[in-house]
Every structure is written in structure tokens, then in C-alpha cells.
Amino acid sequence: MLKTKDILDEKNKILRKVSKEVTFPMDKEDLKNIDLMVEYLTNSQIDALAEKYDLRPGMGMAAIQLGVPKRYLTIVHEVEEGTFDTYVIVNPKIVSNSLEKIYVEDGEGCLSVNREVDGIVPRYARVTVEGFDTEGNKISIRAREELAIAFQHEIDHLNGILFIDHIDKKNPFKDQDKYRAI
Ligand code: ZN
């Protein structure tokens, strides 16, 4: 079982690496990582378990956050209280996006950034992501709102980018009126 301390902190330079494409069949180690990531994300969003195991809540994780520079990520999206949709995607790419951009009003969060960071991170309101499942079958996912943000955030990780990089240092709320808050 993963613990919060297993997740790399923003100070760790490994997070800045560009992750490499995965080849199939996937390594056993990577499949194990995916199970651990999904388990962590799910448990972390269930209050009683988050408390019991001292987990910081999060809905997404990229392999690089465990120090593995490979292009796969997991998202566990709570669609209603206690009900989760789980996404696992390998070698993901955003193939189309809305013109409309949105941002998380309360500020985006990241399991690797253990502090409050104010500011606007503009994200597409809707994206289509293509990639592969763990067996190498092609998949396509359409995501909107919070889920769309999660995919963009996690795909950024695969390119060594953290959400804080998108925030204007001098004016964190720059162009706020151009985007819709969610
Ligand atoms: Zn993150």
C-alpha cells in the first residue's frame, strides 16, 4: 500500500523529467504501480480510510510522482458521494480541446505540492484524450470540467510540468475574467 511519503515532493528534480513512452506488454512492476496508485487515490477520497492511513486526498497521479519516468497515469473521479470512476491511461495525448477555458476557483492541488498555492491555472473546459489501456488497446476518453482539468494536470506531469508553473508569479489572478471558475 502506498503512503503519502512515497509520493515525490515538488523539491525533487525527478518530477521535472519528461517521461518516456511505454511499450507493450507492460512490465509487471508498472502494472503493480497502477494498482497501488488507484488504491491510494480511492482510499484517499474516503474520509475514514484517508484518516486511518494518513493519506492526503487526491484524484490523480502520474507514474513520475512515484519516481517512475514512464507515460502512464491514473485518475479516480468521485462522481457522487462514495462512487468513483477510475481511469487508467498509457501514453495519453490530448487530441482535441474546447476553446473555452476554466480554472479551479479554490486553486488546483497536487499530491506533490504540499502547500496552498493561490492563483489561476487556465485549463480547457473539455478535452478528448487518446491513449492505450494496460493491454495496449487503443482508448479514447472525453472529459469535461473537473475531470478535464485532472487529465491536463496529469499529462503535464508526464512532461515535467507542475500546475504552479502555469501561475503568473507577479499577478496570480491575471486574466481571471477570461476564464470560467469551477
Ligand atoms: Zn499533480
Side-chain angles (χ1 to χ4, degrees), residues 137-158:
N137 304 302
K138 210 159 185 225
I139 55 172
S140 176
I141 299 163
R142 294 180 65 165
R144 53 195 292 281
E145 304 293 309
E146 183 183 38
L147 183 62
I149 290 178
F151 273 104
Q152 290 165 83
H153 177 118
E154 299 311 327
I155 290 171
D156 269 356
H157 274 302
L158 304 184

Short mmCIF file of all heavy atoms in Angstrom, two decimals, residues 137-158:
data_model
loop_
_atom_site.label_atom_id
_atom_site.label_comp_id
_atom_site.label_asym_id
_atom_site.label_seq_id
_atom_site.Cartn_x
_atom_site.Cartn_y
_atom_site.Cartn_z
N ASN A 137 -4.55 -1.82 -25.88
CA ASN A 137 -5.69 -1.48 -26.74
C ASN A 137 -5.90 0.02 -26.73
O ASN A 137 -5.80 0.67 -25.69
CB ASN A 137 -6.98 -2.15 -26.22
CG ASN A 137 -6.84 -3.65 -26.09
OD1 ASN A 137 -6.55 -4.33 -27.07
ND2 ASN A 137 -7.00 -4.15 -24.87
N LYS A 138 -6.21 0.53 -27.93
CA LYS A 138 -6.42 1.97 -28.04
C LYS A 138 -7.69 2.39 -27.29
O LYS A 138 -8.71 1.73 -27.39
CB LYS A 138 -6.55 2.34 -29.52
CG LYS A 138 -6.07 3.72 -29.78
CD LYS A 138 -5.68 4.01 -31.19
CE LYS A 138 -5.12 5.42 -31.15
NZ LYS A 138 -5.56 6.29 -32.19
N ILE A 139 -7.61 3.50 -26.56
CA ILE A 139 -8.80 4.03 -25.90
C ILE A 139 -8.90 5.54 -26.12
O ILE A 139 -7.90 6.21 -26.39
CB ILE A 139 -8.83 3.74 -24.37
CG1 ILE A 139 -7.56 4.25 -23.66
CG2 ILE A 139 -9.00 2.24 -24.11
CD1 ILE A 139 -7.63 4.15 -22.15
N SER A 140 -10.12 6.01 -26.01
CA SER A 140 -10.38 7.43 -26.17
C SER A 140 -11.33 7.86 -25.04
O SER A 140 -12.31 7.17 -24.77
CB SER A 140 -11.03 7.66 -27.54
OG SER A 140 -11.38 9.01 -27.67
N ILE A 141 -11.00 8.95 -24.39
CA ILE A 141 -11.81 9.40 -23.25
C ILE A 141 -12.19 10.86 -23.49
O ILE A 141 -11.32 11.68 -23.79
CB ILE A 141 -11.01 9.28 -21.93
CG1 ILE A 141 -10.62 7.82 -21.65
CG2 ILE A 141 -11.81 9.87 -20.75
CD1 ILE A 141 -9.51 7.66 -20.63
N ARG A 142 -13.48 11.15 -23.34
CA ARG A 142 -13.91 12.55 -23.40
C ARG A 142 -14.15 13.02 -21.98
O ARG A 142 -14.85 12.36 -21.22
CB ARG A 142 -15.19 12.67 -24.24
CG ARG A 142 -14.91 12.33 -25.71
CD ARG A 142 -16.15 12.45 -26.53
NE ARG A 142 -16.60 13.84 -26.55
CZ ARG A 142 -17.50 14.31 -27.42
NH1 ARG A 142 -18.06 13.51 -28.29
NH2 ARG A 142 -17.86 15.57 -27.39
N ALA A 143 -13.55 14.14 -21.66
CA ALA A 143 -13.65 14.63 -20.28
C ALA A 143 -14.04 16.09 -20.28
O ALA A 143 -13.67 16.85 -21.18
CB ALA A 143 -12.31 14.45 -19.57
N ARG A 144 -14.82 16.46 -19.26
CA ARG A 144 -15.21 17.86 -19.13
C ARG A 144 -15.07 18.30 -17.68
O ARG A 144 -14.99 17.48 -16.77
CB ARG A 144 -16.63 18.07 -19.64
CG ARG A 144 -17.66 17.14 -19.01
CD ARG A 144 -18.96 17.14 -19.79
NE ARG A 144 -19.62 18.44 -19.67
CZ ARG A 144 -20.33 18.84 -18.62
NH1 ARG A 144 -20.49 18.05 -17.58
NH2 ARG A 144 -20.88 20.03 -18.58
N GLU A 145 -15.02 19.60 -17.51
CA GLU A 145 -14.96 20.23 -16.18
C GLU A 145 -13.81 19.65 -15.35
O GLU A 145 -12.71 19.51 -15.85
CB GLU A 145 -16.33 20.08 -15.48
CG GLU A 145 -17.50 20.65 -16.30
CD GLU A 145 -17.47 22.16 -16.46
OE1 GLU A 145 -17.35 22.88 -15.47
OE2 GLU A 145 -17.56 22.64 -17.61
N GLU A 146 -14.12 19.31 -14.10
CA GLU A 146 -13.10 18.85 -13.16
C GLU A 146 -12.25 17.68 -13.73
O GLU A 146 -11.03 17.64 -13.56
CB GLU A 146 -13.82 18.40 -11.88
CG GLU A 146 -12.92 17.95 -10.78
CD GLU A 146 -13.71 17.44 -9.57
OE1 GLU A 146 -14.76 16.78 -9.75
OE2 GLU A 146 -13.27 17.72 -8.45
N LEU A 147 -12.92 16.77 -14.40
CA LEU A 147 -12.21 15.61 -14.96
C LEU A 147 -11.26 16.04 -16.08
O LEU A 147 -10.14 15.52 -16.19
CB LEU A 147 -13.22 14.57 -15.47
CG LEU A 147 -12.64 13.27 -16.01
CD1 LEU A 147 -11.86 12.50 -14.93
CD2 LEU A 147 -13.76 12.38 -16.58
N ALA A 148 -11.69 17.00 -16.88
CA ALA A 148 -10.83 17.52 -17.95
C ALA A 148 -9.59 18.18 -17.35
O ALA A 148 -8.47 18.01 -17.85
CB ALA A 148 -11.60 18.53 -18.81
N ILE A 149 -9.79 18.90 -16.26
CA ILE A 149 -8.65 19.54 -15.57
C ILE A 149 -7.69 18.47 -15.06
O ILE A 149 -6.47 18.58 -15.21
CB ILE A 149 -9.14 20.45 -14.42
CG1 ILE A 149 -9.83 21.68 -15.00
CG2 ILE A 149 -7.96 20.87 -13.52
CD1 ILE A 149 -10.41 22.63 -13.96
N ALA A 150 -8.25 17.41 -14.49
CA ALA A 150 -7.41 16.34 -13.95
C ALA A 150 -6.53 15.73 -15.05
O ALA A 150 -5.32 15.52 -14.85
CB ALA A 150 -8.27 15.26 -13.30
N PHE A 151 -7.10 15.47 -16.21
CA PHE A 151 -6.30 14.90 -17.30
C PHE A 151 -5.19 15.86 -17.73
O PHE A 151 -4.05 15.44 -17.94
CB PHE A 151 -7.19 14.53 -18.50
CG PHE A 151 -7.77 13.14 -18.38
CD1 PHE A 151 -9.09 12.95 -18.03
CD2 PHE A 151 -6.98 12.01 -18.61
CE1 PHE A 151 -9.63 11.68 -17.89
CE2 PHE A 151 -7.50 10.73 -18.48
CZ PHE A 151 -8.83 10.56 -18.12
N GLN A 152 -5.52 17.13 -17.84
CA GLN A 152 -4.50 18.10 -18.26
C GLN A 152 -3.39 18.21 -17.21
O GLN A 152 -2.20 18.28 -17.54
CB GLN A 152 -5.15 19.47 -18.51
CG GLN A 152 -6.04 19.45 -19.76
CD GLN A 152 -6.97 20.65 -19.84
OE1 GLN A 152 -6.56 21.71 -20.29
NE2 GLN A 152 -8.21 20.50 -19.41
N HIS A 153 -3.78 18.19 -15.94
CA HIS A 153 -2.82 18.25 -14.84
C HIS A 153 -1.88 17.04 -14.86
O HIS A 153 -0.65 17.18 -14.75
CB HIS A 153 -3.60 18.32 -13.52
CG HIS A 153 -2.77 18.32 -12.28
ND1 HIS A 153 -2.76 19.38 -11.39
CD2 HIS A 153 -1.91 17.41 -11.76
CE1 HIS A 153 -1.93 19.11 -10.39
NE2 HIS A 153 -1.41 17.91 -10.59
N GLU A 154 -2.46 15.85 -15.04
CA GLU A 154 -1.63 14.63 -15.01
C GLU A 154 -0.75 14.51 -16.25
O GLU A 154 0.39 14.07 -16.17
CB GLU A 154 -2.51 13.39 -14.84
CG GLU A 154 -3.34 13.34 -13.56
CD GLU A 154 -2.56 13.64 -12.28
OE1 GLU A 154 -1.37 13.28 -12.22
OE2 GLU A 154 -3.12 14.26 -11.37
N ILE A 155 -1.27 14.89 -17.40
CA ILE A 155 -0.46 14.84 -18.63
C ILE A 155 0.70 15.83 -18.52
O ILE A 155 1.81 15.55 -18.96
CB ILE A 155 -1.33 15.05 -19.89
CG1 ILE A 155 -2.24 13.81 -20.07
CG2 ILE A 155 -0.47 15.28 -21.14
CD1 ILE A 155 -3.31 13.95 -21.15
N ASP A 156 0.46 16.96 -17.89
CA ASP A 156 1.55 17.90 -17.61
C ASP A 156 2.68 17.21 -16.84
O ASP A 156 3.86 17.41 -17.14
CB ASP A 156 1.05 19.08 -16.76
CG ASP A 156 0.57 20.26 -17.59
OD1 ASP A 156 0.67 20.22 -18.84
OD2 ASP A 156 0.08 21.24 -16.98
N HIS A 157 2.31 16.41 -15.84
CA HIS A 157 3.34 15.70 -15.05
C HIS A 157 4.25 14.86 -15.95
O HIS A 157 5.46 14.76 -15.72
CB HIS A 157 2.69 14.76 -14.04
CG HIS A 157 2.34 15.40 -12.73
ND1 HIS A 157 3.26 16.02 -11.93
CD2 HIS A 157 1.15 15.48 -12.07
CE1 HIS A 157 2.65 16.48 -10.84
NE2 HIS A 157 1.37 16.17 -10.90
N LEU A 158 3.67 14.26 -16.99
CA LEU A 158 4.46 13.39 -17.88
C LEU A 158 5.47 14.22 -18.67
O LEU A 158 6.43 13.68 -19.22
CB LEU A 158 3.55 12.63 -18.84
CG LEU A 158 2.45 11.77 -18.18
CD1 LEU A 158 1.67 11.00 -19.23
CD2 LEU A 158 3.04 10.81 -17.15
#
